[in-house]
Amino acid sequence: WESIKPMITLPEKIQKNGITFCVTGKVPDGYSNRQEYVKAMEDKGFTFHSTIKKDTLFLVCDDVDGNSSKLQKARKLGVVLVNNLDDVV
């Protein structure tokens, strides 16, 4: 039994930096402003980036089909687009 190893390996981005996120557009319902949302997510252990970086894992956005510069960069870097981190992790 002790020789059984986990079959799932977390992506290198998560192993090295934890769950990182950035925000663009309106914050999810239930939060009055971006600062409140970021604080709530940081309290859960997520790491906030004010800009998209190569190690950003999620971009929280109100419109995943939008065309903002953050969305464009996120798509280019393969960042996962979500409406709310609470729905994902």
Side-chain angles (χ1 to χ4, degrees):
W1 175 257
E2 293 158 11
S3 65
I4 297 175
K5 299 197 183 226
M7 300 297 288
I8 298 173
T9 302
L10 293 173
E12 187 177 331
K13 281 184 178 182
I14 295 175
Q15 289 179 15
K16 184 177 178 185
N17 302 307
I19 296 177
T20 54
F21 74 103
C22 187
V23 179
T24 190
K26 297 178 185 174
V27 295
D29 291 340
Y31 299 94
S32 54
N33 58 48
R34 186 173 297 197
Q35 184 177 0
E36 179 184 352
Y37 181 74
V38 168
K39 170 100 169 75
M41 296 304 105
E42 288 178 331
D43 288 348
K44 292 180 179 186
F46 304 138
T47 301
F48 175 68
H49 292 167
S50 59
T51 61
I52 297 290
K53 301 178 183 181
K54 65 181 178 180
D55 63 341
T56 302
L57 187 60
F58 292 103
L59 175 60
V60 178
C61 52
D62 59 328
D63 180 11
V64 296
D65 296 320
N67 205 27
S68 73
S69 59
K70 279 187 182 176
L71 280 162
Q72 291 175 18
K73 187 171 184 181
R75 288 184 189 109
K76 181 179 178 184
L77 294 175
V79 173
V80 179
L81 307 178
V82 297
N83 295 113
N84 189 346
L85 283 176
D86 287 326
D87 298 337
V88 181
V89 287

